[in-house]
Amino acid sequence: MNTETCGAVLRGVEKHYPGFDLGPVDLAVPAGSIVGLVGENGAGKTTLLKLLTGVNPADAGEITLEGGSPADAASRCELGVVFEDAYFSESLTAKQIGKSLAGIFGRRWDGKEYQRLLAQFGLDSAKPVKTYSRGMRMKLSLATALAHHPRMLVLDEATSGLDPVVRGAILDLLLDFIQDETRSILISSHITSDLEQVADSIAYLHHGKLLFHEDKDVLLAEYGILRCSRSHLDTLPADCRISTRQTEFGCETLVKDRAKVARLLPGAVLDPAGIDDIMRFYSGRDTQ
């Protein structure tokens, strides 16, 4: 991957807390793409996003952000950031929030674009945030993240807990944003079906370690769920078998190179694997 065209690059990044270690992580977020970050609760997704956005410093490694560093104010200004439940004071209105952010971003802040986004999202700028639903608050966060025309969006569970209609509107917004191929998005989500719709690649973080970062279409085409007997399973090359669960009916195995497995075991049941399936089996390797 050509890191020169990346919105962000992490090389050997580490962060250590009592009882938890993140990294070392190597991850690139290419310009013109959406990278979906997945992992179980406590895997380190939010920690990684906070390192990338400069909220917290890394203990080791290097982070390049839009040609600079997360410590550089100019680089951070190229970010539009939405963290889960990181809402504004409930007593403020969207209009008041816009005025406050105009003072922070200065000439970068586009008041007309902010008003356009509020109207697009159906948000009343005169009403206080405390009257907004969760979906409306998330839309407000997105409006504030986009109104200074960032080159990169960093979103932490931006669609979590929202109804399908609101989620669909947000996903459409992300796809529209990325039409400019100088822009990029890093989005963490537990709703893997959303990532299957919009992400170009999937990065899987597990217990603080990045297990893989692969093209989404290749990922979904390569992996499969094989159901067969143990004797048939043992005939497969080891590099095809990721993780196996024994059931009362035989073996259920996450396999890689689905086409090859289908050729070697033509009579076996072999279904496509979704992102949820891949995560479930990879995490199960720890107990095997």
Side-chain angles (χ1 to χ4, degrees), residues 7 11 27 66 108 127 134 137 148 161 170 174 223 274:
R11 299 184 182 90
L27 177 66
E66 293 297 343
R108 288 190 64 103
K127 288 186 175 181
R134 174 175 169 76
R137 294 183 186 205
H148 65 286
I170 290 175
L174 300 185
Y223 286 86

Side-chain angles (χ1 to χ4, degrees), residues 129-164:
V129 172
K130 63 184 177 184
T131 66
Y132 285 5
S133 66
R134 174 175 169 76
M136 294 168 71
R137 294 183 186 205
M138 185 56 68
K139 287 179 177 180
L140 175 61
S141 293
L142 283 167
T144 60
L146 290 166
H148 65 286
H149 301 289
R151 291 173 58 190
M152 182 176 181
L153 287 179
V154 177
L155 310 173
D156 188 19
E157 298 294 341
T159 60
S160 177
L162 305 181
D163 66 65

Side-chain angles (χ1 to χ4, degrees), residues 26-260:
D26 293 293
L27 177 66
V29 184
S33 73
I34 301 177
V35 175
L37 181 64
V38 300
E40 304 81 13
N41 288 330
K45 301 187 299 299
T46 299
T47 297
L48 187 150
L49 296 184
K50 287 184 175 180
L51 298 180
L52 176 62
T53 56
V55 174
N56 295 323
D59 294 330
E62 178 187 8
I63 301 175
T64 303
L65 178 63
E66 293 297 343
S69 159
D72 302 330
S75 294
R76 292 198 305 274
C77 278
E78 299 293 346
L79 290 178
V81 181
V82 176
F83 282 112
E84 185 180 19
D85 296 331
Y87 299 126
F88 300 98
S89 172
E90 292 192 340
S91 63
L92 296 178
T93 66
K95 183 177 181 179
Q96 291 171 327
I97 290 168
K99 287 183 178 179
S100 176
L101 292 175
I104 294 173
F105 284 102
R107 288 182 297 177
R108 288 190 64 103
W109 183 255
D110 187 339
K112 290 183 178 179
E113 176 65 5
Y114 180 59
Q115 291 300 322
R116 187 193 70 78
L117 288 165
L118 293 180
Q120 177 183 333
F121 292 152
L123 300 177
D124 187 337
S125 63
K127 288 186 175 181
V129 172
K130 63 184 177 184
T131 66
Y132 285 5
S133 66
R134 174 175 169 76
M136 294 168 71
R137 294 183 186 205
M138 185 56 68
K139 287 179 177 180
L140 175 61
S141 293
L142 283 167
T144 60
L146 290 166
H148 65 286
H149 301 289
R151 291 173 58 190
M152 182 176 181
L153 287 179
V154 177
L155 310 173
D156 188 19
E157 298 294 341
T159 60
S160 177
L162 305 181
D163 66 65
V165 174
V166 175
R167 282 173 30 224
I170 290 175
L171 295 180
D172 288 342
L173 183 71
L174 300 185
L175 290 172
D176 183 62
F177 177 84
I178 210 69
Q179 292 307 303
D180 182 337
E181 294 188 357
T182 67
R183 297 171 173 173
S184 57
I185 300 174
L186 178 60
I187 174 173
S188 78
S189 180
H190 284 107
I191 306 175
T192 56
S193 59
D194 287 350
L195 299 182
E196 289 180 5
Q197 290 184 57
V198 301
D200 296 290
S201 62
I202 301 294
Y204 177 33
L205 199 62
H206 178 62
H207 291 175
K209 303 296 183 184
L210 190 65
L211 295 192
F212 61 73
H213 178 204
E214 297 190 27
D215 180 276
K216 179 202 65 183
D217 292 335
V218 172
L219 192 73
L220 297 179
E222 282 286 299
Y223 286 86
I225 305 296
L226 173 69
R227 296 174 177 87
C228 66
S229 66
R230 172 61 69 175
S231 60
H232 284 130
L233 178 64
D234 289 343
T235 65
L236 288 180
D239 60 355
C240 288
R241 293 173 278 161
I242 304 300
S243 178
T244 297
R245 294 186 174 190
Q246 188 71 43
T247 72
E248 59 181 311
F249 304 106
C251 294
E252 187 180 50
T253 304
L254 178 69
V255 295
K256 194 171 183 180
D257 197 343
R258 198 164 77 225
K260 179 179 180 179

